[in-house]
């Protein structure tokens, strides 16, 4: 939609608009840059982890930050987010990527007025990422180690991370996004452990299985089974439903 608007906006200009634009000077206004920042969450070794990069350039060189970068002059926001995700993680289109929120406090970046559009990405466990051009290191860090508000991250990235984690936790209640943390096929036990990891609370195995299998479109059986050493576990793939009904309520932590 945004690309279409960029291509066709000239069709709606009047002669008055064109005369106005001929004398318009954008330098009369303070410069504002737009960036995208990515909250990339995965489950590694039974912990909810976020992708962080160590900044390799000023400002705040050496501090851990969320991956991201400036939006190019010919990019849409979604295109910039997908590009940054691919550059920092090697993740190509197909990963869950959604717009999270916009952050634009005047003093959030010392270089200039920078407005950041944050995105949330939920991905299965992946090999360790390779740092991009403006980072010296890239690692998945357990969210629990970073505290509730990501204190110590560069800029306002702690706040962005906290909002991304809470968005992910909330969406597991009423969407099928928990399955995006898993490679297919998976067992109901694998899925339960995702919920337990993201929510930080243990779940009753039998009750969870009943809720998952009674929710239309959440998961689909593959017809195959996995040997567990104590028997066989049925294997499933992601279902087609976008919203779970009934929802799976998050227990109090």
């Amino acid at each position: 939609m945004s690309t279409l608007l960029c291509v066709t906006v000239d069709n709606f200009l009047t002669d008055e608009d064109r005369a106005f634009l001929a004398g318009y000077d954008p330098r009369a206004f303070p410069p504002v840059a737009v960036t995208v920042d990515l909250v990339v969450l995965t489950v590694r070794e039974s912990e909810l982890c976020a992708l962080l990069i160590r900044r390799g350039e000023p400002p705040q060189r050496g501090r851990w930050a969320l991956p991201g970068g400036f939006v190019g002059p010919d990019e849409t926001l979604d295109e910039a987010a997908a590009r940054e995700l691919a550059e920092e993680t090697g993740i190509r289109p197909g990963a869950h990527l959604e717009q999270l929120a916009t952050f634009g406090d005047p003093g959030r970046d010392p270089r200039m007025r920078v407005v950041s559009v944050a995105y949330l990405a939920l991905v299965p466990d992946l090999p360790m990422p390779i740092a991009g051009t403006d980072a010296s290191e890239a690692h998945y860090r357990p969210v629990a180690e970073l505290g509730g508000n990501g204190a110590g991250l560069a800029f306002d990235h702690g706040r962005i991370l906290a909002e991304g984690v809470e968005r992910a936790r909330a969406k597991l209640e009423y969407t099928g996004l928990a399955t995006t943390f898993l490679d297919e096929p998976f067992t109901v036990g694998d899925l339960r452990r995702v919920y337990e990891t993201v929510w930080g609370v243990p779940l009753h195995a039998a009750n969870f299985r009943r809720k998952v299998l009674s929710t239309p479109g959440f998961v689909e059986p593959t017809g195959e089974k996995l040997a567990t050493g104590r028997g066989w576990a049925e294997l499933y793939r992601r279902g087609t439903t976008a919203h779970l009904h009934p929802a799976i309520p998050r227990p109090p932590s």
Side-chain angles (χ1 to χ4, degrees):
M1 179 65 71
S2 57
T3 302
L4 177 62
L5 289 175
C6 290
V7 170
T8 62
V9 67
D10 283 348
N11 296 337
F12 300 97
L13 293 179
T14 65
D15 291 340
E16 181 184 28
D17 292 332
R18 292 187 174 87
F20 166 76
L21 292 173
Y24 181 79
D25 184 4
R27 294 172 298 179
F29 299 91
V32 177
V34 179
T35 64
V36 291
D37 287 309
L38 305 176
V39 179
V40 183
L41 300 178
T42 193
V43 174
R44 293 176 64 90
E45 299 179 355
S46 300
E47 292 189 283
L48 179 64
C49 297
L51 176 62
L52 298 180
I53 57 100
R54 189 185 295 276
R55 290 186 56 79
E57 300 176 357
Q60 304 192 32
R61 190 207 316 257
R63 293 185 66 183
W64 289 99
L66 298 174
F70 288 92
V71 178
D74 299 318
E75 285 184 310
T76 66
L77 294 172
D78 288 355
E79 289 169 348
R83 173 180 54 77
E84 289 290 344
L85 185 62
E87 290 177 356
E88 298 290 355
T89 68
I91 299 171
R92 298 299 170 183
H96 176 79
L97 185 64
E98 68 175 75
Q99 200 171 114
L100 174 64
T102 302
F103 299 83
D105 290 352
R108 62 179 302 274
D109 192 307
R111 290 168 290 190
M112 61 184 298
R113 182 71 187 272
V114 176
V115 175
S116 177
V117 180
Y119 280 77
L120 173 64
L122 306 180
V123 299
D125 190 10
L126 297 166
M128 291 303 293
I130 299 174
T133 55
D134 59 349
S136 59
E137 298 178 65
H139 292 288
Y140 285 106
R141 297 276 302 278
V143 169
E145 290 183 1
L146 301 171
N149 57 5
L153 296 185
F155 309 111
D156 56 355
H157 289 188
R159 176 187 169 196
I160 298 174
L161 174 63
E163 292 202 20
V165 169
E166 180 53 36
R167 169 77 68 86
R169 287 172 173 161
K171 295 198 79 166
L172 260 58
E173 296 188 57
Y174 61 90
T175 75
L177 286 178
T179 61
T180 63
F181 286 109
L182 295 168
D183 289 319
E184 296 179 306
F186 52 82
T187 68
V188 172
D190 295 331
L191 186 59
R192 187 187 77 251
R193 285 184 283 274
V194 167
Y195 273 86
E196 291 175 333
T197 300
V198 176
W199 283 350
V201 293
L203 300 174
H204 189 280
N207 287 345
F208 179 82
R209 179 181 179 84
R210 175 179 52 80
K211 290 178 180 178
V212 168
L213 298 184
S214 63
T215 302
F218 189 3
V219 297
E220 297 177 352
T222 65
E224 301 176 340
K225 294 184 178 182
L226 175 71
T228 64
R230 294 182 296 177
W232 296 86
E234 294 177 286
L235 292 170
Y236 295 85
R237 65 174 66 92
R238 298 179 187 94
T240 57
T241 187
H243 291 85
L244 304 183
H245 184 74
I248 300 179
R250 179 178 11 167
S253 55

